[in-house]
Amino acid sequence: MRTDREPATAGRAIQVEGLHKSFGALEVLKGIDFSVERGEVVCVIGPSGSGKSTLLRCVNLLEEPTAGRVTVAGTEVTDPDVDIDRVRRRIGMVFQSFNLFPHLTVLENLTIAQRRVLRRDRAAAERTARANLARVGLSDKETAYPAQLSGGQQQRVAIARALSMEPELMLFDEPTSALDPELVGDVLAVMRSLAQDGMTMLVVTHEMSFAREVADRVVFMDGGVIVEEGPPERVVADPQHERTRTFLARVLDPAAAGLSEVPQAGARGPEEERPEP
């Protein structure tokens, strides 16, 4: 947990109340209540199919909740009359896949949304883009195309692209899960730097070291509900619930899991069984 800054007291960045989400007969979220303070880093952990990514996507309405209310920076995004595009300008999101335009250079990937959504002129957009490329350690890659970059570099470009929109908070959905192990460190280093700078962050992750070292709070989800939440030194290092202890034992020491616990080929968790929106 970070000790280089005081806990945020400036108000809530995210408020989730009674959140339910179903895909047909499958209920993925079963009444979620939680909040994220401004300047806080919250890591959401849990097994596949527990609802983590669905929760994250409901925050910026990439998934429309079945019931409940979500408020971001004082604006209720679940209000039928909300201007969701305006709200999304205040939220940066980084996905598992990098979602870069393959036919555009790195610099062009960082400037296109600035110019089309924020209406910045080319010079201003490029200044912002270059500043954020420097922030993620990729100043020398602005003329490269995504195919010329490693997976870790592409994910750092995706982070720089999100930062170029000058968001008030960042959402990360398993940002390192698609990377080879040797590439994970550079991405996590960028995220640590953002946390140290005071960026509000909601992070779905399986990187327990990141959760321990960087998060102000850890939320453990299972079966569409929050089972346990609190500071990382309690939830990760000294969990109170048996389900949390079992999950962490398997994550931290996969070899300890019995063969009966290993997923069968082709098996998918409930969250993965739904069709893409």
Side-chain angles (χ1 to χ4, degrees):
M1 183 173 180
R2 296 190 310 285
T3 58
D4 58 335
R5 61 179 176 83
E6 294 299 316
T9 57
R12 286 181 174 161
I14 302 171
Q15 180 75 47
V16 176
E17 303 168 88
L19 183 63
H20 290 257
K21 177 60 182 178
S22 296
F23 297 96
L26 178 64
E27 188 176 20
V28 176
L29 299 178
K30 304 175 182 178
I32 301 293
D33 294 283
F34 91 113
S35 62
V36 178
E37 304 295 324
R38 295 183 189 273
E40 188 178 27
V41 177
V42 176
C43 285
V44 184
I45 64 174
S48 176
S50 61
K52 309 181 301 296
S53 293
T54 299
L55 169 62
L56 201 72
R57 292 168 66 88
C58 284
V59 169
N60 64 356
L61 226 61
L62 290 178
E63 298 285 5
E64 188 168 345
T66 304
R69 182 164 64 177
V70 179
T71 303
V72 177
T75 300
E76 184 187 343
V77 300
T78 43
D79 183 335
D81 297 323
V82 72
D83 183 349
I84 190 61
D85 290 333
R86 184 175 181 180
V87 176
R88 285 176 180 153
R89 293 174 193 171
R90 306 165 73 179
I91 305 171
M93 187 158 184
V94 178
F95 300 87
Q96 297 178 33
S97 55
F98 320 125
N99 295 333
L100 301 176
F101 293 111
H103 63 291
L104 299 180
T105 67
V106 165
L107 188 66
E108 290 167 341
N109 265 281
L110 266 64
T111 57
I112 186 170
Q114 293 186 67
R115 298 181 64 193
R116 294 188 178 182
V117 177
L118 302 182
R119 302 298 181 186
R120 287 178 179 157
D121 61 46
R122 181 185 295 274
E126 289 184 351
R127 281 196 301 271
T128 300
R130 289 188 172 108
N132 284 302
L133 284 174
R135 194 173 185 180
V136 301
L138 292 174
S139 293
D140 60 333
K141 299 296 184 182
E142 68 173 62
T143 61
Y145 287 88
Q148 298 172 311
L149 306 177
S150 70
Q153 289 171 331
Q154 290 186 63
Q155 192 63 292
R156 283 188 281 157
V157 170
I159 294 172
R161 178 182 57 187
L163 292 174
S164 293
M165 301 298 286
E166 299 182 351
E168 295 179 26
L169 65 144
M170 291 282 289
L171 309 178
F172 292 87
D173 187 7
E174 295 278 15
T176 61
S177 66
L179 303 179
D180 291 334
E182 66 269 22
L183 303 177
V184 168
D186 290 340
V187 173
L188 294 181
V190 170
M191 295 171 65
R192 285 188 179 94
S193 175
L194 293 179
Q196 290 167 356
D197 289 345
M199 174 65 74
T200 305
M201 297 165 60
L202 179 59
V203 185
V204 171
T205 185
H206 61 274
E207 300 287 348
M208 293 301 110
S209 61
F210 179 86
R212 279 193 300 256
E213 298 166 14
V214 180
D216 295 298
R217 189 155 42 95
V218 174
V219 174
F220 172 67
M221 289 184 64
D222 188 33
V225 300
I226 292 175
V227 176
E228 185 168 0
E229 67 176 303
E233 60 267 25
R234 183 174 66 77
V235 175
V236 178
D238 185 27
Q240 304 302 299
H241 291 260
E242 179 61 30
R243 184 67 189 93
T244 316
R245 289 194 291 269
T246 301
F247 168 77
L248 288 170
R250 292 172 180 168
V251 170
L252 297 175
D253 186 11
L259 288 177
S260 63
E261 298 167 350
V262 177
Q264 297 299 311
R268 302 165 73 184
E271 198 171 4
E272 287 75 31
E273 291 175 356
R274 64 174 176 81
E276 288 299 319

